[in-house]
Amino acid sequence: MRRFLSLPGGFTLPLPSRKHDSPPASVLPLPPRLVLGLQQCLPCVQPGQQVLKYQRLADADSEYGVALHAPTSGRIIAIQPQAQALPGAPLADTLILEADGRDEALPLQAGDPSRLTPLSLALQLQDMGVAGNHGPLLALDWAMQQCALPLLIINAVEDEPYLAATATLLEEQAEAFVAAIAMLEQVLRPARIVLAVSQTDSSEALQAAVSQHGWQVSTINTPYPAGDETTLIRQLASPAEAAHSLCLPADAVVAAGAAILHGQPCISRLVTLVDKLDRPGSVQALLGTPLSHLLNFAGAKANYAITHGGGLRGYALPADQADAMGLHWHSQCLQARTPDTAGQQQDCIRCGDCLRICPSKLQPQELYWHCQQDNVETANAWGLQDCTLCGLCDAVCPSQLPLLDSFRHTALQYQSTQQQQQQADHARQRHRFRQFRLERDKQEKAQRLAARAAEQAAKREQTATAAPQENKPTPAAADKQAAIAAAMARAAQRNSQHLEKQSTSSADDRQADARAAAMAASRQAAIDAAMARAAARKAAQDAAKAASAGSQQVDTTAASDDKQALIQSAMQRAAMQKAAQANAAPANMDADKKALIEAAMQRAAAQKTAQANAAPTSMDADKKALIEAAMQRAAAQKAAQADKAHAPGKPEKPENT
Amino acid sequence: MTSTTMRLAPSLARRQGLTLLALLPGVLVLLMQQGRPALINLLLALYSSLLTDMTCQASRKQPLATSWRQPDCLLTGLMLALMLPMATPAGLLLAACMMAVLWRHLFGGTAHGPFHPVLVSLLMLSPWLASPLPAQNIALSLALLAGGVWLLWRRLNAWQVPAGFCLVLLVSLPLGTGWLLLQPALWLLLGWVMTDGNSTPITPRGRLIHGQAAGLLCVSFAALTHKADITPLLAAILLLMSAAAPLVDQLLQPRQRT
């Protein structure tokens, strides 16, 4: 007879007496079909496919998922959404396996734990489908950190009423349990290992095996929620160890031992079945066994209700869907209870019992109020996240309010909204980056186009005025160092140089040729300006669009190079033009001037349209030079500026070239 | 779909039944002391409150059986019959019971009234209560004390409010207010009214402070006035403290365990 454990507030938790010779766990007959929920895993088989026992059916879809293996041989009938044996019976993808009864198995390969690192062990456990309380038994991110493990707690405490599976496991599979802990010790190398057990009598059997390994057995005598991970760590770990110690449930440890030492994936577990007479009995059941099959085995007749879990944390499941819901790894206990109509919830009388008994020192009556109002924010402010869902407040409530149900519901709801919010944020970020990328590509393309147009114009002009009148080499080497945008400036510079040269040469003797060349040059300049204008307008449009999109980079160094080149060329041109003017005949001057003015007018128009969009430019250096030369350059310069400077023409980029 | 978890505490109806049962020693003592008029008063109070409650239930379209399944109204009637003096006219007793039950239903039944119906009824009828209450009834006081202690032992009552009140009362014994301890009305209010969660703070510290404040007010008034009839005064003090209960609750939140 176990002693009654007194709870805070003076309540006592009646725990079923456990005999020393409890009946051994029976093995469930093979069900005709298995219903395997795909929680956080992706199926790797097709409907209609024939599978063997131990064959992998689904892979983990993230680092928090675990793989799923076929519990028996058979055929996959369907993969469809069905109700799960989880709180609220949510719909999720379910794999339905029709057993063929032959139970043909894949050969198992025994592993060698001596070569495993913590990370490879964690990965192997995930592939073998060994789940802990949250996700895989060993969290992958923990295993990746490779920090030293000061304390490993094996949690065999089972203090919730009606749960008996772990105790049966310890009694019947003590050798496997010890071997599994030894394997974990070999791989994880913890500084010390503590076995937390809840009863002294069964731990005596383990004592002998445990003492030779140097492990510590600790009997937990604190009241009910002592089997929680956090409570155990708080109780057993010293403050220095608490942050890094690990607490693993005993049933999962045994499964991990089987998976690593014998290569056997996790396909079954011990379930406590509580019949109508409150007699708990343990049964080894395959994962995915329909709940109706289990309850029929336990002797439940028609018109039963299903409670999934122990006496305090258990939750009700719809009995009419018992065929569709399959056993999962966290199904420790199933109770077949007839519907209890006596329990009618009434209004809170503020007796304060829930407040007295709450192990987390919360105020369940306030929490309940806010949870009923779906006021998640306020419920969190009252500590909903600190609630361990132990169910004690529900058990002591005289008004029989569904406190635990509403807390669980609201917590799950909060969790799912958080996940959705996270996904939405992620998608929004992705979308923003895509928009930015598209704009950036467009701008780069526009720049490239403008540069190419300017280069083509320059080339065409070179071929038109192929006369080898160049006295000095073009400053190609210096220009190439500048960025793409500087090409346009180069083109304009080259353009004006040719023009000056033409006029100077015409001053000597070949005036007619020179005039024709000047005319051609001015026409070429007009064409050049028109093309540059078009490119500038296009770039300005792109830039205006991009301005709304946002962040982008400006090649300021290229721009300053560009400016310097422009100033240099303007100075050269000014000097040359002065020389030309000194020598030129007035008639030729007139003709030349006319052509130049014509071209200049056209360019000025282009400049005006560009300036309407462009930011104020710093043309001081150019203005000090001759105005004509500046106007010649202006079109090309505009194009370049509109490409580079105007695109980010926003407050965050106050400095333009 | 509700979970069928195990119940560690009695249900609301059973709880109220046990609270009613705790009045049994007091009722027996009263019957032994007073005989027939006490019996008539008790029956009158019980019947009137039960009938008023059933009428209210019918008007609210609730099942009539609630009236005796959850014997709230019986508790109210019994308390009034014990508290009011034997010489109270039958009409006044009837009015008191009806008013208390109506007050409870005015706010939606058992768990909703901001002030305790017995207190409200006592305070409203205090101008017409001619004769002083039966003072210094040692046997009745002891019987009621025994019932209250039994309720505390069964954990049906929170101990903080009565403890706070008694603490102040015992500390202030040198002031000459010891006669308060022999008033049956005091023990009745302590054990059955001040332990009602609806009109007291819900946090343990809040309840302790609530009881101490009520005790302080009661002792100071008693020491100043030396008035034998303490019941209306106590009722007024407790109503005042009930009004302050939400404030106390808000100021004294227990620290959450993180």
Side-chain angles (χ1 to χ4, degrees):
Chain A
M1 191 77 180
R2 291 176 71 174
R3 279 177 303 170
F4 290 102
L5 296 177
S6 173
L7 294 165
F11 297 97
T12 49
L13 197 59
L15 291 175
S17 62
R18 195 166 286 156
K19 294 170 204 156
H20 288 283
D21 49 352
S22 63
S26 43
V27 177
L28 198 70
L30 194 65
R33 60 169 59 181
L34 293 169
V35 187
L36 295 153
L38 298 173
Q39 294 285 326
Q40 293 203 317
C41 52
L42 295 171
C44 52
V45 290
Q46 301 294 325
Q49 189 176 335
Q50 201 78 25
V51 294
L52 295 177
K53 190 179 183 175
Y54 302 136
Q55 184 176 340
R56 191 180 298 181
L57 300 180
D59 289 316
D61 66 344
S62 68
E63 58 178 314
Y64 305 112
V66 292
L68 186 69
H69 298 263
T72 182
S73 65
R75 198 169 60 89
I76 310 291
I77 301 177
I79 299 175
Q80 62 192 27
Q82 277 190 358
Q84 302 289 311
L86 293 171
L91 289 181
D93 269 352
T94 308
L95 193 146
I96 301 173
L97 172 67
E98 190 180 45
D100 58 7
R102 290 198 292 273
D103 213 21
E104 291 169 282
L106 288 175
L108 296 178
Q109 286 178 335
D112 181 14
S114 60
R115 283 179 301 176
L116 286 176
T117 63
L119 182 59
S120 61
L121 175 69
L123 286 171
Q124 209 162 331
L125 289 179
Q126 186 184 30
D127 288 344
M128 285 295 186
V130 182
N133 285 338
H134 320 281
L137 180 63
L138 294 174
L140 292 190
D141 46 0
W142 174 83
M144 224 138 33
Q145 286 166 5
Q146 299 191 336
C147 51
L149 182 64
L151 171 64
L152 175 65
I153 301 172
I154 309 293
N155 179 5
V157 181
E158 202 175 35
D159 54 355
E160 195 177 342
Y162 298 126
L163 293 193
T166 302
T168 314
L169 191 76
L170 293 197
E171 279 171 23
E172 297 189 358
Q173 303 182 24
E175 297 86 18
F177 184 56
V178 170
I181 300 175
M183 183 273 294
L184 284 178
E185 185 184 29
Q186 190 180 356
V187 177
L188 299 179
R189 300 179 195 288
R192 64 188 182 109
I193 292 185
V194 176
L195 258 73
V197 293
S198 57
Q199 29 173 178
T200 44
D201 46 5
S202 88
S203 69
E204 282 167 10
L206 280 174
Q207 285 281 4
V210 161
S211 57
Q212 66 188 21
H213 286 277
W215 303 331
Q216 179 189 347
V217 176
S218 170
T219 307
I220 305 295
N221 277 326
T222 45
Y224 156 58
D228 281 3
E229 227 171 86
T230 48
T231 326
L232 270 186
I233 288 178
R234 196 184 298 139
Q235 192 178 352
L236 294 177
S238 64
E241 298 169 335
H244 302 291
S245 50
L246 202 60
C247 181
L248 302 177
D251 47 0
V253 165
V254 174
I260 300 300
L261 299 173
H262 308 299
Q264 179 188 9
C266 178
I267 56 161
S268 68
R269 69 154 298 135
L270 268 177
V271 186
T272 312
L273 293 176
V274 182
D275 57 12
K276 283 181 182 177
L277 298 174
D278 283 0
R279 280 181 314 209
S282 291
V283 60
Q284 185 83 29
L286 298 177
L287 298 185
T289 309
L291 300 188
S292 58
H293 187 77
L294 276 160
L295 292 173
N296 288 335
F297 177 77
K301 299 290 182 289
N303 190 24
Y304 54 78
I306 307 174
T307 302
H308 180 281
L312 289 169
R313 286 181 212 245
Y315 46 88
L317 289 174
D320 52 344
Q321 294 184 47
D323 287 330
M325 290 184 293
L327 197 75
H328 54 83
W329 176 254
H330 299 288
S331 311
Q332 294 177 324
C333 178
L334 278 179
Q335 305 174 39
R337 298 296 181 83
T338 47
D340 187 13
T341 51
Q344 264 187 342
Q345 71 180 71
Q346 281 147 329
D347 296 318
C348 174
I349 58 163
R350 288 170 57 88
C351 61
D353 282 350
C354 48
L355 192 143
R356 245 190 315 177
I357 205 170
C358 180
S360 306
K361 302 247 166 43
L362 301 176
Q363 299 206 25
Q365 88 283 356
E366 288 283 350
L367 265 183
Y368 176 70
W369 172 255
H370 296 303
C371 288
Q372 288 297 101
Q373 307 285 321
D374 275 339
N375 205 343
V376 183
E377 292 305 316
T378 328
N380 280 339
W382 280 94
L384 180 64
Q385 300 305 314
D386 295 335
C387 176
T388 56
L389 300 177
C390 65
L392 281 177
C393 50
D394 204 319
V396 300
C397 182
S399 298
Q400 306 188 343
L401 294 170
L403 296 164
L404 177 62
D405 276 349
S406 72
F407 298 162
R408 189 152 39 198
H409 175 75
T410 313
L412 283 176
Q413 215 177 14
Y414 177 70
Q415 215 173 346
S416 67
T417 48
Q418 286 292 100
Q419 278 174 358
Q420 282 173 1
Q421 185 67 38
Q422 229 168 0
Q423 285 173 352
D425 284 347
H426 205 70
R428 206 172 294 130
Q429 205 177 355
R430 227 168 32 215
H431 177 68
R432 269 200 209 122
F433 181 70
R434 180 174 178 273
Q435 274 186 329
F436 160 69
R437 189 166 47 81
L438 288 179
E439 286 301 332
R440 190 191 58 197
D441 289 353
K442 208 185 263 180
Q443 270 168 9
E444 282 175 357
K445 196 177 172 188
Q447 279 183 358
R448 269 201 310 274
L449 275 179
R452 201 187 300 154
E455 269 176 5
Q456 276 179 353
K459 252 183 223 165
R460 212 173 302 135
E461 187 204 349
Q462 272 183 342
T463 52
T465 62
Q469 291 156 345
E470 299 168 352
N471 299 329
K472 57 174 186 179
T474 52
D479 289 344
K480 271 177 187 168
Q481 283 172 356
I484 301 167
M488 287 165 294
R490 254 179 291 137
Q493 181 184 353
R494 221 174 287 135
N495 226 357
S496 58
Q497 276 176 358
H498 285 305
L499 212 58
E500 307 307 327
K501 280 167 205 157
Q502 293 287 314
S503 59
T504 47
S505 62
S506 70
D508 292 340
D509 46 353
R510 291 164 288 184
Q511 296 176 353
D513 287 355
R515 208 181 302 140
M519 291 291 278
S522 66
R523 206 176 296 136
Q524 191 59 49
I527 295 169
D528 180 17
M531 287 186 67
R533 217 185 310 146
R537 206 176 297 139
K538 204 172 185 182
Q541 280 175 355
D542 289 344
K545 274 186 208 159
S548 63
S551 58
Q552 89 163 68
Q553 302 163 347
V554 182
D555 197 353
T556 49
T557 57
S560 60
D561 283 351
D562 185 15
K563 196 173 169 183
Q564 279 182 353
L566 284 172
I567 291 169
Q568 273 182 4
S569 68
M571 300 282 275
Q572 285 176 353
R573 258 174 290 137
M576 282 179 164
Q577 211 162 12
K578 257 184 192 168
Q581 270 181 344
N583 296 330
N588 296 340
M589 281 280 287
D590 283 348
D592 282 350
K593 247 185 191 168
K594 262 182 194 170
L596 283 171
I597 289 169
E598 245 183 34
M601 298 278 275
Q602 285 173 346
R603 279 190 301 272
Q607 191 180 6
K608 253 181 194 170
T609 55
Q611 255 178 349
N613 297 328
T617 59
S618 62
M619 293 173 44
D620 302 345
D622 298 337
K623 273 179 185 165
K624 279 173 192 163
L626 276 177
I627 295 170
E628 288 100 329
M631 285 171 86
Q632 280 182 350
R633 258 179 304 120
Q637 192 184 359
K638 271 299 126 196
Q641 275 177 351
D643 273 351
K644 298 193 304 288
H646 179 61
K650 293 190 322 295
E652 62 183 58
K653 293 284 174 192
E655 191 180 336
N656 278 333
T657 52
Chain B
M1 189 167 64
T2 56
S3 299
T4 53
T5 48
M6 58 173 40
R7 299 280 164 204
L8 301 181
S11 71
L12 188 53
R14 186 168 158 70
R15 197 184 166 103
Q16 285 170 348
L18 290 173
T19 315
L20 196 59
L21 194 66
L23 278 177
L24 190 65
V27 171
L28 287 180
V29 167
L30 193 70
L31 283 180
M32 282 198 296
Q33 284 181 347
Q34 308 282 342
R36 186 180 288 269
L39 185 67
I40 293 171
N41 262 9
L42 282 175
L43 288 181
L44 193 65
L46 286 179
Y47 271 120
S48 62
S49 41
L50 188 65
L51 282 178
T52 317
D53 195 67
M54 284 170 75
T55 320
C56 289
Q57 298 280 13
S59 69
R60 289 174 60 208
K61 297 186 172 53
Q62 302 282 323
L64 285 185
T66 320
S67 292
W68 58 84
R69 286 233 177 97
Q70 286 183 26
D72 246 357
C73 53
L74 296 183
L75 189 64
T76 307
L78 208 56
M79 281 172 67
L80 281 171
L82 283 175
M83 219 177 285
L84 294 177
M86 283 302 113
T88 313
L92 209 55
L93 188 61
L94 268 178
C97 291
M98 284 172 67
M99 195 177 294
V101 174
L102 274 174
W103 178 266
R104 188 190 296 285
H105 279 282
L106 204 60
F107 290 93
T110 303
H112 295 289
F115 300 112
H116 201 279
V118 171
L119 295 182
V120 172
S121 158
L122 271 182
L123 200 66
M124 282 179 142
L125 293 179
S126 58
W128 292 278
L129 287 178
S131 59
L133 295 177
Q136 316 286 339
N137 194 336
I138 299 175
L140 188 55
S141 296
L142 283 179
L144 289 173
L145 181 61
V149 168
W150 181 72
L151 279 180
L152 284 183
W153 178 70
R154 290 293 309 259
R155 305 254 176 195
L156 293 173
N157 276 351
W159 56 270
Q160 283 94 349
V161 176
F165 197 100
C166 291
L167 188 73
V168 172
L169 218 53
L170 291 178
V171 164
S172 61
L173 272 182
L175 286 177
T177 51
W179 56 272
L180 277 175
L181 289 171
L182 302 178
Q183 291 270 347
L186 176 78
W187 298 112
L188 211 54
L189 290 178
L190 262 186
W192 282 265
V193 172
M194 291 178 74
T195 49
D196 178 35
N198 279 311
S199 47
T200 55
I202 197 165
T203 58
R205 274 168 71 210
R207 283 181 169 168
L208 208 56
I209 285 174
H210 178 91
Q212 285 169 350
L216 214 58
L217 282 175
C218 179
V219 163
S220 51
F221 271 106
L224 286 176
T225 60
H226 290 287
K227 195 182 169 193
D229 184 8
I230 202 69
T231 314
L233 179 63
L234 250 181
I237 288 169
L238 291 187
L239 282 180
L240 189 71
M241 293 310 298
S242 297
L247 184 70
V248 175
D249 253 350
Q250 207 161 15
L251 293 178
L252 291 174
Q253 286 305 326
R255 201 163 48 83
Q256 288 171 12
R257 183 189 288 171
T258 52

PDB file of all heavy atoms in Angstrom, chain A residues 40 51 101 115 141 174 177 210 335 471 478 491 521 544 618-619 644 651:
ATOM      1  N   GLN A  40       4.462  15.942 -37.358  1.00  0.00           N
ATOM      2  CA  GLN A  40       5.795  16.470 -37.648  1.00  0.00           C
ATOM      3  C   GLN A  40       6.663  15.468 -38.383  1.00  0.00           C
ATOM      4  O   GLN A  40       7.844  15.311 -38.075  1.00  0.00           O
ATOM      5  CB  GLN A  40       6.479  16.908 -36.359  1.00  0.00           C
ATOM      6  CG  GLN A  40       5.786  18.099 -35.737  1.00  0.00           C
ATOM      7  CD  GLN A  40       6.699  18.855 -34.837  1.00  0.00           C
ATOM      8  OE1 GLN A  40       7.423  18.272 -34.077  1.00  0.00           O
ATOM      9  NE2 GLN A  40       6.658  20.166 -34.912  1.00  0.00           N
ATOM     10  N   VAL A  51       4.341  -2.808 -47.184  1.00  0.00           N
ATOM     11  CA  VAL A  51       5.487  -2.490 -46.326  1.00  0.00           C
ATOM     12  C   VAL A  51       5.739  -3.655 -45.372  1.00  0.00           C
ATOM     13  O   VAL A  51       4.856  -4.472 -45.094  1.00  0.00           O
ATOM     14  CB  VAL A  51       5.244  -1.209 -45.508  1.00  0.00           C
ATOM     15  CG1 VAL A  51       5.152  -0.001 -46.409  1.00  0.00           C
ATOM     16  CG2 VAL A  51       4.005  -1.332 -44.665  1.00  0.00           C
ATOM     17  N   GLY A 101      -1.147  -9.722 -41.224  1.00  0.00           N
ATOM     18  CA  GLY A 101      -1.110 -10.831 -40.285  1.00  0.00           C
ATOM     19  C   GLY A 101       0.146 -11.661 -40.339  1.00  0.00           C
ATOM     20  O   GLY A 101       0.378 -12.484 -39.468  1.00  0.00           O
ATOM     21  N   ARG A 115      31.075   3.954 -30.816  1.00  0.00           N
ATOM     22  CA  ARG A 115      31.570   4.913 -31.798  1.00  0.00           C
ATOM     23  C   ARG A 115      30.650   6.118 -31.970  1.00  0.00           C
ATOM     24  O   ARG A 115      30.830   6.916 -32.867  1.00  0.00           O
ATOM     25  CB  ARG A 115      31.745   4.215 -33.150  1.00  0.00           C
ATOM     26  CG  ARG A 115      32.986   3.351 -33.208  1.00  0.00           C
ATOM     27  CD  ARG A 115      33.099   2.677 -34.539  1.00  0.00           C
ATOM     28  NE  ARG A 115      31.924   1.843 -34.816  1.00  0.00           N
ATOM     29  CZ  ARG A 115      31.744   1.196 -35.953  1.00  0.00           C
ATOM     30  NH1 ARG A 115      32.610   1.308 -36.914  1.00  0.00           N
ATOM     31  NH2 ARG A 115      30.678   0.444 -36.131  1.00  0.00           N
ATOM     32  N   ASP A 141      19.459  20.392 -31.228  1.00  0.00           N
ATOM     33  CA  ASP A 141      20.268  21.591 -30.996  1.00  0.00           C
ATOM     34  C   ASP A 141      21.072  21.473 -29.716  1.00  0.00           C
ATOM     35  O   ASP A 141      22.176  22.005 -29.626  1.00  0.00           O
ATOM     36  CB  ASP A 141      19.400  22.861 -30.986  1.00  0.00           C
ATOM     37  CG  ASP A 141      18.155  22.676 -30.162  1.00  0.00           C
ATOM     38  OD1 ASP A 141      17.995  21.566 -29.616  1.00  0.00           O
ATOM     39  OD2 ASP A 141      17.365  23.611 -30.054  1.00  0.00           O
ATOM     40  N   ALA A 174      13.921  -4.742 -16.483  1.00  0.00           N
ATOM     41  CA  ALA A 174      14.955  -4.071 -15.711  1.00  0.00           C
ATOM     42  C   ALA A 174      16.312  -4.186 -16.394  1.00  0.00           C
ATOM     43  O   ALA A 174      17.097  -3.229 -16.402  1.00  0.00           O
ATOM     44  CB  ALA A 174      15.016  -4.659 -14.302  1.00  0.00           C
ATOM     45  N   PHE A 177      16.532  -1.870 -19.235  1.00  0.00           N
ATOM     46  CA  PHE A 177      16.598  -0.509 -18.701  1.00  0.00           C
ATOM     47  C   PHE A 177      18.024  -0.165 -18.283  1.00  0.00           C
ATOM     48  O   PHE A 177      18.568   0.881 -18.664  1.00  0.00           O
ATOM     49  CB  PHE A 177      15.630  -0.422 -17.516  1.00  0.00           C
ATOM     50  CG  PHE A 177      15.504   0.931 -16.903  1.00  0.00           C
ATOM     51  CD1 PHE A 177      15.144   2.026 -17.678  1.00  0.00           C
ATOM     52  CD2 PHE A 177      15.707   1.111 -15.555  1.00  0.00           C
ATOM     53  CE1 PHE A 177      15.007   3.273 -17.112  1.00  0.00           C
ATOM     54  CE2 PHE A 177      15.574   2.363 -14.983  1.00  0.00           C
ATOM     55  CZ  PHE A 177      15.229   3.443 -15.762  1.00  0.00           C
ATOM     56  N   VAL A 210      22.081  -1.300 -10.250  1.00  0.00           N
ATOM     57  CA  VAL A 210      22.454   0.102 -10.346  1.00  0.00           C
ATOM     58  C   VAL A 210      23.720   0.389  -9.549  1.00  0.00           C
ATOM     59  O   VAL A 210      24.593   1.140  -9.977  1.00  0.00           O
ATOM     60  CB  VAL A 210      21.269   0.969  -9.863  1.00  0.00           C
ATOM     61  CG1 VAL A 210      21.730   2.357  -9.508  1.00  0.00           C
ATOM     62  CG2 VAL A 210      20.206   1.022 -10.939  1.00  0.00           C
ATOM     63  N   GLN A 335      -8.548   5.293 -20.290  1.00  0.00           N
ATOM     64  CA  GLN A 335      -9.588   4.938 -19.339  1.00  0.00           C
ATOM     65  C   GLN A 335     -10.909   4.837 -20.078  1.00  0.00           C
ATOM     66  O   GLN A 335     -11.261   5.720 -20.840  1.00  0.00           O
ATOM     67  CB  GLN A 335      -9.708   6.005 -18.246  1.00  0.00           C
ATOM     68  CG  GLN A 335      -8.415   6.282 -17.526  1.00  0.00           C
ATOM     69  CD  GLN A 335      -8.566   7.435 -16.577  1.00  0.00           C
ATOM     70  OE1 GLN A 335      -9.578   7.576 -15.922  1.00  0.00           O
ATOM     71  NE2 GLN A 335      -7.550   8.273 -16.505  1.00  0.00           N
ATOM     72  N   ASN A 471      45.189  63.617 -81.956  1.00  0.00           N
ATOM     73  CA  ASN A 471      46.593  63.861 -81.689  1.00  0.00           C
ATOM     74  C   ASN A 471      47.078  63.118 -80.454  1.00  0.00           C
ATOM     75  O   ASN A 471      48.247  62.768 -80.348  1.00  0.00           O
ATOM     76  CB  ASN A 471      46.834  65.363 -81.497  1.00  0.00           C
ATOM     77  CG  ASN A 471      46.461  66.123 -82.764  1.00  0.00           C
ATOM     78  OD1 ASN A 471      46.582  65.581 -83.872  1.00  0.00           O
ATOM     79  ND2 ASN A 471      45.989  67.355 -82.598  1.00  0.00           N
ATOM     80  N   ALA A 478      42.266  55.167 -67.775  1.00  0.00           N
ATOM     81  CA  ALA A 478      41.683  55.848 -66.616  1.00  0.00           C
ATOM     82  C   ALA A 478      40.172  55.636 -66.564  1.00  0.00           C
ATOM     83  O   ALA A 478      39.593  55.452 -65.488  1.00  0.00           O
ATOM     84  CB  ALA A 478      42.002  57.341 -66.683  1.00  0.00           C
ATOM     85  N   ALA A 491      31.863  58.882 -72.881  1.00  0.00           N
ATOM     86  CA  ALA A 491      31.337  59.065 -74.237  1.00  0.00           C
ATOM     87  C   ALA A 491      31.118  60.544 -74.510  1.00  0.00           C
ATOM     88  O   ALA A 491      31.511  61.055 -75.582  1.00  0.00           O
ATOM     89  CB  ALA A 491      30.025  58.307 -74.384  1.00  0.00           C
ATOM     90  N   ALA A 521      29.121  66.139 -86.737  1.00  0.00           N
ATOM     91  CA  ALA A 521      29.343  65.955 -85.305  1.00  0.00           C
ATOM     92  C   ALA A 521      28.152  66.453 -84.497  1.00  0.00           C
ATOM     93  O   ALA A 521      27.698  65.802 -83.548  1.00  0.00           O
ATOM     94  CB  ALA A 521      30.606  66.705 -84.890  1.00  0.00           C
ATOM     95  N   ALA A 544      12.065  56.247 -60.126  1.00  0.00           N
ATOM     96  CA  ALA A 544      10.885  56.681 -59.384  1.00  0.00           C
ATOM     97  C   ALA A 544      10.177  55.480 -58.775  1.00  0.00           C
ATOM     98  O   ALA A 544       9.706  55.512 -57.638  1.00  0.00           O
ATOM     99  CB  ALA A 544       9.942  57.434 -60.307  1.00  0.00           C
ATOM    100  N   SER A 618      25.170  69.289 -58.925  1.00  0.00           N
ATOM    101  CA  SER A 618      26.285  70.191 -58.624  1.00  0.00           C
ATOM    102  C   SER A 618      27.100  70.382 -59.891  1.00  0.00           C
ATOM    103  O   SER A 618      27.963  69.583 -60.205  1.00  0.00           O
ATOM    104  CB  SER A 618      27.139  69.587 -57.503  1.00  0.00           C
ATOM    105  OG  SER A 618      27.673  68.372 -57.937  1.00  0.00           O
ATOM    106  N   MET A 619      26.736  71.346 -60.599  1.00  0.00           N
ATOM    107  CA  MET A 619      27.418  71.584 -61.861  1.00  0.00           C
ATOM    108  C   MET A 619      28.306  72.812 -61.774  1.00  0.00           C
ATOM    109  O   MET A 619      28.605  73.471 -62.772  1.00  0.00           O
ATOM    110  CB  MET A 619      26.401  71.766 -62.981  1.00  0.00           C
ATOM    111  CG  MET A 619      25.660  70.476 -63.225  1.00  0.00           C
ATOM    112  SD  MET A 619      24.321  70.591 -64.371  1.00  0.00           S
ATOM    113  CE  MET A 619      24.970  71.536 -65.660  1.00  0.00           C
ATOM    114  N   LYS A 644      22.060  57.022 -61.461  1.00  0.00           N
ATOM    115  CA  LYS A 644      22.669  56.728 -60.174  1.00  0.00           C
ATOM    116  C   LYS A 644      22.104  57.535 -59.032  1.00  0.00           C
ATOM    117  O   LYS A 644      21.806  57.016 -57.966  1.00  0.00           O
ATOM    118  CB  LYS A 644      24.173  57.011 -60.266  1.00  0.00           C
ATOM    119  CG  LYS A 644      24.866  56.147 -61.260  1.00  0.00           C
ATOM    120  CD  LYS A 644      26.347  56.231 -61.110  1.00  0.00           C
ATOM    121  CE  LYS A 644      26.909  57.614 -61.212  1.00  0.00           C
ATOM    122  NZ  LYS A 644      26.908  58.216 -62.526  1.00  0.00           N
ATOM    123  N   PRO A 651      15.304  61.094 -48.892  1.00  0.00           N
ATOM    124  CA  PRO A 651      15.961  61.761 -47.751  1.00  0.00           C
ATOM    125  C   PRO A 651      17.132  60.992 -47.201  1.00  0.00           C
ATOM    126  O   PRO A 651      18.053  61.585 -46.666  1.00  0.00           O
ATOM    127  CB  PRO A 651      14.834  61.881 -46.729  1.00  0.00           C
ATOM    128  CG  PRO A 651      13.691  61.124 -47.266  1.00  0.00           C
ATOM    129  CD  PRO A 651      13.870  61.041 -48.729  1.00  0.00           C
TER     130      PRO A 651
END
